[in-house]
Amino acid sequence: METVTEALSNFYNTLASGIGDWGLKFLGALLTLIIGLWIIRIIMKGISKIFETKHIDVTLRPFLLTLIGFVLKVLLIISIAGIVGVPTATFAALVAGIGIAIGAAFNGSLGHLASGIMLLIFKPFKVGDLIKTNNAFGFVKEISVFVTVIETFQNETEIIPNSAITSGKITNLSTIGNLRIDMPFAIRYGSDIAKAKELVMEVLLNDTNVLKEKGKEARVVVNNLGVNSIELLAMPYVKCELYWDVYWDTRQKIVETLGVEGYEAPLPQRVVTMAK
């Protein structure tokens, strides 16, 4: 009987000791997690302010902040594993194995990540640029690790996977800083072409949104001789942010001016010859 009692006592003491040690480790790990996340948050805020102070490219900021935050959290998890009692080397190998498994499961996402790194390194565009890509036309608002965010002129937010951008065509309209807008309009055969060009040129010169600097002078030319009309082309240069202001408003001014001066819209024409 004493032997059984002693065995039970030893079992209880061992269990109590184990639970006590495990409880202390658990509390230590939980405390480390809470304090660690708080410290990481402070560090990330400090790094963000440093990026602003040092004028780090706004295109790189989201990517770098995400990467640094991820590395700090992984280090925190490894530290917590050490506190609990998991061997650091074993846990690191486990994390690596999980990483490989996740990488295989999210193969497409890794492609977006690689494409995002390419965009940040080669910089075909940056935040604030006006671009055309994947049927989206607007200003770049953000280049993140996996996607690029574009705000269109209709205030629509286009979220495009980075791999779709790097595998397709990218048209950057902001690289030079200004654009030429080609605005075709037509007049009837027999109309005074020279006067029409003068009228349209006057509209362009009086438009404050149209650039007047050297090398960016607006032009009006004959573009095509159609079946029913003479097609002229107005070619003003504008700043990127004023693209649609000129594209819509200036075009309307041209139509109104030609109408006031008696230029009628060209209509289909047909010559009929009477047989004798």
Side-chain angles (χ1 to χ4, degrees):
M1 186 69 179
E2 292 181 0
T3 303
V4 174
T5 303
E6 184 178 352
L8 291 174
S9 177
N10 290 335
F11 173 76
Y12 173 78
N13 290 333
T14 302
L15 182 64
S17 176
I19 292 175
D21 291 341
W22 183 87
L24 289 175
K25 289 180 180 179
F26 175 78
L27 290 176
L30 182 61
L31 186 62
T32 302
L33 177 64
I34 295 173
I35 295 176
L37 291 175
W38 176 69
I39 293 175
I40 289 174
R41 193 179 303 112
I42 293 176
I43 291 174
M44 295 306 296
K45 288 182 179 178
I47 293 174
S48 180
K49 290 182 179 179
I50 291 174
F51 283 173
E52 293 178 4
T53 304
K54 299 297 182 180
H55 303 292
I56 300 297
D57 190 347
V58 292
T59 303
L60 287 171
R61 289 180 195 174
F63 176 77
L64 292 177
L65 288 174
T66 301
L67 181 62
I68 294 172
F70 176 77
V71 172
L72 290 176
K73 288 175 182 177
V74 169
L75 292 175
L76 175 62
I77 293 174
I78 294 175
S79 300
I80 292 173
I83 293 174
V84 173
V86 179
T88 304
T90 303
F91 187 76
L94 178 62
V95 170
I98 294 174
I100 294 173
I102 292 175
F106 295 94
N107 186 39
S109 297
L110 291 178
H112 300 326
L113 173 61
S115 298
I117 294 174
M118 288 177 61
L119 292 176
L120 293 169
I121 293 175
F122 296 105
K123 294 184 178 180
F125 56 82
K126 61 182 184 298
V127 172
D129 281 357
L130 178 64
I131 69 170
K132 292 181 181 179
T133 183
N134 282 266
N135 297 320
F137 181 27
F139 292 97
V140 178
K141 290 300 177 183
E142 180 182 342
I143 305 173
S144 68
V145 177
F146 297 105
V147 299
T148 294
V149 181
I150 296 176
E151 185 177 288
T152 70
F153 288 95
Q154 293 78 30
N155 285 335
E156 297 174 344
T157 300
E158 299 272 0
I159 302 174
I160 306 174
N162 287 330
S163 61
I165 294 177
T166 55
S167 62
K169 178 182 177 181
I170 305 171
T171 303
N172 191 335
L173 292 84
S174 297
T175 301
I176 297 176
N178 52 67
L179 305 168
R180 193 188 78 189
I181 303 178
D182 294 350
M183 297 186 292
F185 61 96
I187 60 176
R188 292 184 177 185
Y189 279 104
S191 301
D192 191 335
I193 299 175
K195 183 180 179 183
K197 291 174 66 175
E198 289 177 4
L199 291 171
V200 174
M201 194 65 194
E202 185 177 351
V203 171
L204 299 179
L205 292 175
N206 291 331
D207 194 324
T208 56
N209 291 330
V210 174
L211 296 178
K212 312 295 190 307
E213 62 190 59
K214 185 177 181 180
K216 304 298 179 185
E217 297 89 351
R219 293 187 63 191
V220 182
V221 298
V222 175
N223 187 52
N224 186 40
L225 300 177
V227 176
N228 301 305
S229 63
I230 302 172
E231 182 183 289
L232 284 80
L233 190 65
M235 300 185 296
Y237 285 86
V238 301
K239 293 182 178 179
C240 297
E241 60 270 20
L242 299 175
Y243 180 91
W244 288 112
D245 292 336
V246 174
Y247 187 89
W248 297 121
D249 297 343
T250 307
R251 184 189 295 265
Q252 179 178 337
K253 293 175 185 176
I254 291 173
V255 173
E256 292 174 347
T257 299
L258 292 175
V260 170
E261 295 296 327
Y263 284 86
E264 299 179 359
L267 300 173
Q269 301 176 14
R270 178 174 298 176
V271 177
V272 178
T273 303
M274 298 297 293
K276 295 182 180 180

